[in-house]
Each structure stands twice: as C-alpha cells, then as structure tokens.
Amino acid sequence: MAMVKARVSTAELVAGRYRLVDVVQRETNRVGYYGEDMETERPCLLTQIGLPDDPCPDAAGRTTSRILRASERMGLLRPGHVAPVLDAVEESGSLWIVTDWIDGTPLGELILQQGMFNHVRAARIGLELLDVLEAAHVAGITHGELSPGQVFVGGDGSVVVTGFGLAGATLAPRVAAPSYASPEQARDERIGPASDLWALGAILYTMVEGRPPYRERDRPEATLKGVDRLPLRAPVRAGPLTQVVQGLLRKDSRERLSRPAVRDTFVRVLNEDPETATQEMGQTRLRRRYAVGPTWSRRAMVAGTALAVVTVAAAVLVVTNGRSNDSGPASAGSAPGASASAGAPTAQSPTPSPSPSQEGTGSKPPTASPSGTALPPGYRTYTSRDGFSVALPEGWKALRTKRTGDLAYRVFFSADGDARTLAITYSEALGSDPVAVWRDEVQPDLEERSGFRRIGDIEATTYQGYEAADMEWVSENDGTRLRTFGRGFLIGDHRGYSLRWTTPEDDWDDPANREALDVFLRTFRVAED
C-alpha cells in the first residue's frame, strides 16, 4: 500500500477546489486537514488516505461511490453523530474525503493532550460510540476502520464519527491505523460487527491506559501480525471497565461481548458515579471555552496536533519498548553472574549523538555515592531533574531523552566514541508483575530485532526493597553483537523504573564493564516524593 505523503503543499488545490490550510490529525496512512472549499468559501475537513499502488481501473469510482452511499445512510440513521461526506475523490494515488468542518477535537488528540481518561469519561464516550455502531449494525453496515482518528468529541462530550464506507474500499485488510484492526482483519478474513466491537475495545483501552493495546510498528504488516499473534497487555487502569475491555478484545470474534452487555456496563459505571460524569461534562465545556477559545472550532487544534505527531512516536518507543521494568542485580553489591545477561537498548536505538539539551543537571564530582559509600575512581554522580540519580563514568552524560508527556521517559547515557550504553526508563503504566512486563511487553518487541536471543530465564528478584525482575539478551546492531542486562522494579501505583546496560558481547566480561554495572546498580536512587 502506498503511504500518505508526510507533507502536502498548502498552496495546491485538491480536485481543483479544496485548499489545504493546516494538518489537524495524523494516523498511519491517514492525514486530516483543515481546509477551505473555494467554491462555497466554507471550512471543511479533508482526509487523505493512501491507496494501493496498482488499483484496478474501476476501483476509484467504486470506492468513492461506496463512501458516499454509506455516509448518506448513516446520516439518516444517526443525524448529528456521523459526519456527512460532501465529496470523495481519487487523486495522485490518494483518496480524499471531504466533510463539513466538525466542531470537535479528534479523540486521538485529546488522549495525547490530556493523557489517560478516568473510567467515567471513557464510559461516556464509549456509550456514544456504541450508539452509533448499534445503528449501523442494525442496518447491516460495518464501519471496519474505527480508530481514535475517526472519532471527534465535542465540547459537550457528544461524539461525531467519520470513516464509514472505507472498509472494503481497497484490497488491504485495513486502510489506516492498523493497531486498531481486529485479529480477523489482520488475517485478511471476512469482517462484520464483531470487528467494530474489537475496535471499540481498543479505543476504550487507549483512553484508560494512554496507549493502544497493540503498538504501531514500522510496517503495517508487522503491526497486523502483532495484533493477530501477540497476547493482550492486561489493562491496569481500567477499573470497573476492565472486564468490558478484556471482553471486547478477545481474539476469537465469537467470544466477544455483545452490544447489550457492553451497554449495561457503560450505564452502570455512569449511574454509579453521576457526580463525576456531570463534572466531566462541565470541565470539558470549560476547557473548550477558556482553554481553546471561540475560534477553536476552525484552527486552534492545529498546533497541538502537530506536536501530537511527535509525541506518538515517542510514546511508542518509551511506553512499549521503554516501559519495561529493568534494573540491577539481585544483590546490591555485586554484578549479575554470567548466567544473567542482557540485550541491547542500543540495538533498539543506536548509540545516540550528543544533544545540546541535557536531561539533568549534569555530572558533579562528589566523593561518595548517593548511598554514602565511596565511588571508585573515575565516577561522578549525575542528578536528573526527573527525580533520580546515578553514578556515571567520567565523561558520560545524558545523550538523548525520549519522553511521553508525564507518562513515561527514557534517558540514554554514554560518552562520545563509547560503544557502551546505559538506558534509564520511567513509566506510570506498568502492570503489577515485573516478570510479566518483561515477558509480555518487552520481549515481543525485542524479538523483531536482528539476532535477538534471550539468555536464561526472566528472574524475579528484589531491588532496594521493591519487587523487581531481571532479563538478559543478545542482539545485533550494524553488524555488532551486543549484550544487555535489564532490571525493572515497581515503586507503587503502576509506576516503576528500569535500567538497561549494554556492551559489545565480546567485551561483556571485561572487568571495567563489570565494575560499571555494579556501580550503576549500587548507586541508582529515586528521589523521595
């Protein structure tokens, strides 16, 4: 499938009529623009979707007709909650869908801006979505492309859905946002209402967890493979929505919860906490009135969305790859033995180049470690603004930080020309079992990397009084075999840290490297809250 261009000139006209003004949202293979209809001088929303490279001659005509018909039918079934399609055209390998400008914020942007939703707010949006899907399913219509980018939330909490008619418009199992595809779509099988219920479950998961249940990978095929084959990462913040989320995200479509069962859960959650539901609606209105101002419905969401695109990439790396629990050896005074091992944070991310903006306050030359014991010669204590400290070799510094708002971050430490790397990760979206985090969330990502092989078992341990787990692996980066030791530990309320120490495999047992790992693990400290 041809992917959507990263940028489209705002000076060009689509179909000789629609002027692109600003990007308002992005998903894999889908870009939304604020635009203007030059004939009517009205604002509009234009959605650009990449089409297969070699469509059959009549495919474009069938696709646009399908979208227009589905939109018209859904507009009659749920007026005001489905965006009417004004025009659909194929141009230069892209499908362009034009609707009236929607007075609402894309759900994906809300999640990026505001982080995880409480279960009441998620239930309110979920119930609105369910109403739209139920109307479609009763009429024999499957959406098939539902994702946060196809859901717009108004200032009063109401929902408008776009994208009806896209499913089946191309030969691809999923036109866009493959991380929200159902397993049957991932296998390119026939889909129906159960696929929409899966997507609803994935959207609920994203609202309460702050990340999708299956991450976007480099290629859509790899994402779909993960959706089909990888186990679900158990939700940890869904509260009373936990069972409905897990029930909707069952791999076997025949086992998914029914619409009535889902509706009952949403209604129960809202009835049990009506005060919070009322407050959520009021806060949404206040945010819209005072935070974005009266002109928001046309332009103000643009800047936030542009930043959101960058945040998504960071979130994928930090919250999935980097949110693993990883830190040092079982005993504070000794490095792990040869049976423990480690892969390579550097393998997933080559040794970064120095950045002018450093993560912390820089190295200081104290004579003692944070624990009060003397440091070996050539080490200094680094104190991060984010609330941790660790002793580093002379000349080492924070080279790069990947951050996802306040949810997670990863800091890479090394020195110019040094093949070794220390990566420290913090996350607020961890499960309750450090072993399971390594096994179910980190290892599946590492397995996609060249030459990955885990060494030994993932071992449960304790670290500074916290529950922890150790994992070691080898991998390859630019032809170099790397070995990594990782320890992750929980500090409470789904929060935790990990440390990953990576060296060239041939140098793993070098005494200086063993000493460095020992110092990292012995001196790492979390600042008191």
Side-chain angles (χ1 to χ4, degrees):
M1 174 180 291
M3 301 302 288
V4 172
K5 297 177 182 178
R7 295 186 61 85
V8 174
S9 170
T10 56
E12 69 181 87
L13 295 181
V14 175
R17 173 174 178 175
Y18 306 104
R19 185 169 71 91
L20 305 177
V21 179
D22 282 304
V23 174
V24 296
Q25 62 169 340
R26 289 182 190 265
E27 286 183 326
T28 302
N29 204 40
R30 179 191 290 125
V31 183
Y33 296 85
Y34 169 77
E36 294 178 356
D37 184 339
M38 303 304 290
E39 292 187 9
T40 64
E41 298 184 349
R42 291 172 58 87
C44 57
L45 172 70
L46 291 98
T47 302
Q48 181 191 18
I49 299 167
L51 292 174
D53 292 330
D54 298 308
C56 61
D58 299 326
R62 290 200 302 269
T63 296
T64 55
S65 297
R66 180 191 183 100
I67 292 168
L68 290 167
R69 287 197 308 271
S71 167
E72 183 178 5
R73 290 183 64 193
M74 286 305 304
L76 295 173
L77 293 170
R78 293 293 293 164
H81 293 280
V82 175
V85 176
L86 306 177
D87 202 356
V89 296
E90 187 276 332
E91 190 170 273
S92 302
S94 289
L95 174 65
W96 292 89
I97 302 171
V98 185
T99 69
D100 278 330
W101 181 250
I102 301 171
D103 190 11
T105 306
L107 178 58
E109 184 192 354
L110 284 178
I111 294 168
L112 288 166
Q113 288 178 346
Q114 300 167 19
M116 295 162 286
F117 292 4
N118 65 48
H119 59 267
V120 174
R121 189 179 188 195
R124 289 186 66 247
I125 294 173
L127 186 58
E128 293 252 359
L129 274 174
L130 185 64
D131 285 341
V132 175
L133 292 177
E134 186 167 44
H137 296 167
V138 169
I141 299 172
T142 297
H143 189 292
E145 287 285 331
L146 197 62
S147 69
Q150 300 282 28
V151 179
F152 289 73
V153 182
D156 60 355
S158 62
V159 163
V160 176
V161 180
T162 65
F164 278 100
L166 281 171
T170 75
L171 297 178
R174 176 87 177 191
V175 176
S179 61
Y180 292 88
S182 64
E184 54 269 29
Q185 278 179 293
R187 296 189 294 268
D188 203 10
E189 297 174 352
R190 184 179 180 86
I191 66 170
S195 294
D196 286 345
L197 294 178
W198 170 281
L200 174 61
I203 290 172
L204 283 173
Y205 186 107
T206 304
M207 286 193 285
V208 296
E209 299 294 312
R211 55 180 171 81
Y214 296 92
R215 72 176 182 88
E216 292 282 357
R217 300 169 191 271
D218 293 339
R219 296 173 294 108
E221 310 85 70
T223 303
L224 294 172
K225 182 179 178 181
V227 170
D228 182 30
R229 299 184 183 181
L230 294 179
L232 176 69
R233 295 176 287 187
V236 297
R237 296 178 178 272
L241 293 176
T242 299
Q243 289 187 346
V244 76
V245 169
Q246 293 177 324
L248 288 170
L249 294 178
R250 290 174 180 162
K251 299 278 190 180
D252 189 336
S253 62
R254 297 167 297 183
E255 296 178 357
R256 286 174 207 150
L257 291 181
S258 63
R259 291 193 306 266
V262 176
R263 179 179 298 278
D264 287 347
T265 300
F266 288 154
V267 171
R268 183 174 66 254
V269 168
L270 295 173
N271 286 341
E272 288 176 353
D273 199 349
E275 182 177 351
T276 301
T278 302
Q279 289 174 351
E280 282 293 330
M281 180 178 289
Q283 289 168 0
T284 300
R285 286 172 173 163
L286 286 172
R287 276 194 296 269
R288 180 167 180 260
R289 181 177 176 186
Y290 295 110
V292 293
T295 62
W296 176 88
S297 61
R298 293 194 180 190
R299 300 288 300 279
M301 57 192 276
V302 171
T305 306
L307 288 174
V309 178
V310 179
T311 307
V312 167
V316 168
L317 286 167
V318 175
V319 181
T320 57
N321 297 343
R323 77 188 200 68
S324 56
N325 300 4
D326 15 347
S327 54
S331 60
S334 63
S339 62
S341 193
T346 353
Q348 69 192 51
S349 235
T351 303
S353 57
S355 167
S357 67
Q358 299 301 324
E359 161 62 22
T361 57
S363 297
K364 300 183 290 186
T367 57
S369 72
S371 62
T373 58
L375 291 175
Y379 284 83
R380 299 187 178 193
T381 297
Y382 172 95
T383 301
S384 168
R385 300 188 190 97
D386 282 308
F388 69 84
S389 60
V390 66
L392 299 173
E394 190 74 33
W396 276 46
K397 55 191 173 184
L399 298 181
R400 182 174 59 178
T401 300
K402 292 180 178 179
R403 191 177 299 275
T404 309
D406 295 327
L407 181 69
Y409 62 80
R410 174 179 284 180
V411 189
F412 293 91
F413 296 95
S414 190
D416 295 346
D418 199 325
R420 306 171 302 168
T421 304
L422 173 68
I424 295 177
T425 301
Y426 170 78
S427 174
E428 295 186 0
L430 295 173
S432 59
D433 180 0
V435 172
V437 174
W438 281 115
R439 182 189 65 231
D440 300 337
E441 302 189 23
V442 179
Q443 182 167 325
D445 293 326
L446 295 173
E447 286 173 344
E448 296 182 2
R449 296 176 188 145
S450 175
F452 170 81
R453 176 174 58 86
R454 196 178 78 199
I455 301 177
D457 296 328
I458 300 171
E459 297 183 356
T461 185
T462 58
Y463 179 62
Q464 300 180 5
Y466 298 112
E467 286 186 70
D470 296 345
M471 184 171 111
E472 273 191 75
W473 66 95
V474 292
S475 58
E476 219 172 83
N477 184 48
D478 292 335
T480 300
R481 292 286 292 174
L482 300 167
R483 182 166 171 174
T484 301
F485 169 84
R487 170 167 289 176
F489 64 100
L490 303 175
I491 61 174
D493 192 26
H494 306 297
R495 296 179 298 135
Y497 282 88
S498 71
L499 287 77
R500 297 187 188 186
W501 166 240
T502 299
T503 78
E505 185 180 23
D506 291 344
D507 300 334
W508 178 254
D509 289 319
D510 183 89
N513 290 340
R514 306 298 288 176
E515 178 184 66
L517 177 55
D518 172 63
V519 171
F520 297 148
L521 298 170
R522 179 161 49 87
T523 62
F524 180 81
R525 290 294 182 273
V526 179
E528 297 293 333
D529 291 335

